[in-house]
């Protein structure tokens, strides 16, 4: 059985969808660890509920910065024999240490049809622009923000101006697409 690591910074609905799919055998893998860079984030309690071990860290507490905490994360991923790292609302740029060790095995979900609307507020940017077709992208992570090779995309139409509604519609699509995509990747 394959070992997944899920990285998250906030609410963790994608984490929960993945953990539930693993627990129910919909994904033939286990979530071996949940990595979170925001102490107190809601995703931590969700991980505990699913019995998933957590590694929670405060980036600012590392004198050695990104290289130092990523070294700790790489050691953890090695120990847990992680096959695939799934970023699920991990709002931090992945650095050289993690990419050097796990590049090609790190994927991210992003709430826009990349390459449009990169960055932290993709849905708000898309609504402000007035687009009529929205979507979700899953891509490999490389050194460019939201820039790696695209693995999967799913679009939906929306003709309105309420970002919350777009988030609600997009979230359901994210969960389904992430589960499908993880299944495809781990069965390769
Ligand atoms: C998701 O919508 C994900 O696409 C987005 O953060 C949200 C996390 O939600 N990620 C990005 O914007 C990455 N650039 P969740 O904590 O409920 O899974």
């Amino acid at each position: 059985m394959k070992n997944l690591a899920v990285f998250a910074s906030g609410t963790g609905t994608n984490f929960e969808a993945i953990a539930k799919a693993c627990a129910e055998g919909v994904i033939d893998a286990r979530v071996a660890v949940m990595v979170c860079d925001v102490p107190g984030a809601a995703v931590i309690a969700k991980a505990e509920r699913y019995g998933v071990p957590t590694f929670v860290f405060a980036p600012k507490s590392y004198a050695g910065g990104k290289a130092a905490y990523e070294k700790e994360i790489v050691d953890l991923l090695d120990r847990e024999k992680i096959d695939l790292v799934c970023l699920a609302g991990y709002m931090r740029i992945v650095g050289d240490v993690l990419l050097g060790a796990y590049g090609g095995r790190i994927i991210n979900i992003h709430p826009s049809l990349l390459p449009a609307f990169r960055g932290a507020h993709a849905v708000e940017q898309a609504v402000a622009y007035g687009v009529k077709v929205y979507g979700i992208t899953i891509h490999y992570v490389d050194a460019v923000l939201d820039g790696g090779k695209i693995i999967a995309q799913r679009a939906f139409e929306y003709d309105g101006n309420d970002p919350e509604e777009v988030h609600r519609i997009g979230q359901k699509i994210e969960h389904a697409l992430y589960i499908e995509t993880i299944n495809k990747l781990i069965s390769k």
Side-chain angles (χ1 to χ4, degrees):
M1 187 177 278
K2 296 280 167 79
N3 290 317
L4 309 179
V6 179
F7 287 31
S9 303
T11 316
T13 67
N14 280 283
F15 164 79
E16 187 166 24
I18 295 166
K20 185 166 182 284
C22 287
E24 292 175 350
V26 175
I27 297 177
D28 188 21
R30 54 190 275 273
V31 183
V33 65
M34 194 282 292
V35 173
C36 178
D37 63 327
V38 181
V43 67
I44 298 163
K46 289 191 169 81
E48 282 160 8
R49 220 176 303 134
Y50 279 86
V52 172
T54 59
F55 175 69
V56 181
F57 68 103
K60 286 197 175 126
S61 71
Y62 286 76
K66 194 187 287 273
Y69 66 71
E70 286 199 344
K71 169 82 175 67
E72 218 171 298
I73 291 172
V74 167
D75 289 345
L76 169 68
L77 300 180
D78 288 348
R79 268 200 312 278
E80 295 293 337
K81 300 189 169 28
I82 296 300
D83 298 290
L84 186 66
V85 175
C86 304
L87 307 188
Y90 180 68
M91 303 310 258
R92 195 161 283 281
I93 292 173
V94 174
D96 295 343
V97 173
L98 191 46
L99 276 177
Y102 280 83
R105 290 180 287 169
I106 308 176
I107 63 175
N108 180 45
I109 191 158
H110 183 76
S112 79
L113 292 172
L114 290 172
F117 308 118
R118 294 180 164 148
H121 304 287
V123 168
E124 289 71 15
Q125 289 179 60
V127 170
Y129 199 91
V131 304
K132 304 296 178 220
V133 179
Y134 291 79
I136 306 300
T137 301
I138 296 174
H139 62 94
Y140 285 105
V141 172
D142 65 13
V144 178
L145 177 67
D146 298 323
K149 186 174 183 288
I150 290 173
I151 305 165
Q153 286 186 311
R154 191 154 294 162
F156 59 96
E157 292 182 21
Y158 173 75
D159 187 5
N161 56 11
D162 180 2
E164 286 311 310
E165 204 176 347
V166 178
H167 276 293
R168 269 197 302 279
I169 301 167
Q171 204 171 56
K172 288 205 183 75
I173 296 173
E174 287 197 349
H175 299 169
L177 190 63
Y178 224 166
I179 290 166
E180 280 173 38
T181 303
I182 291 168
N183 261 330
K184 276 190 195 146
L185 291 176
I186 64 173
S187 63
K188 266 187 186 168

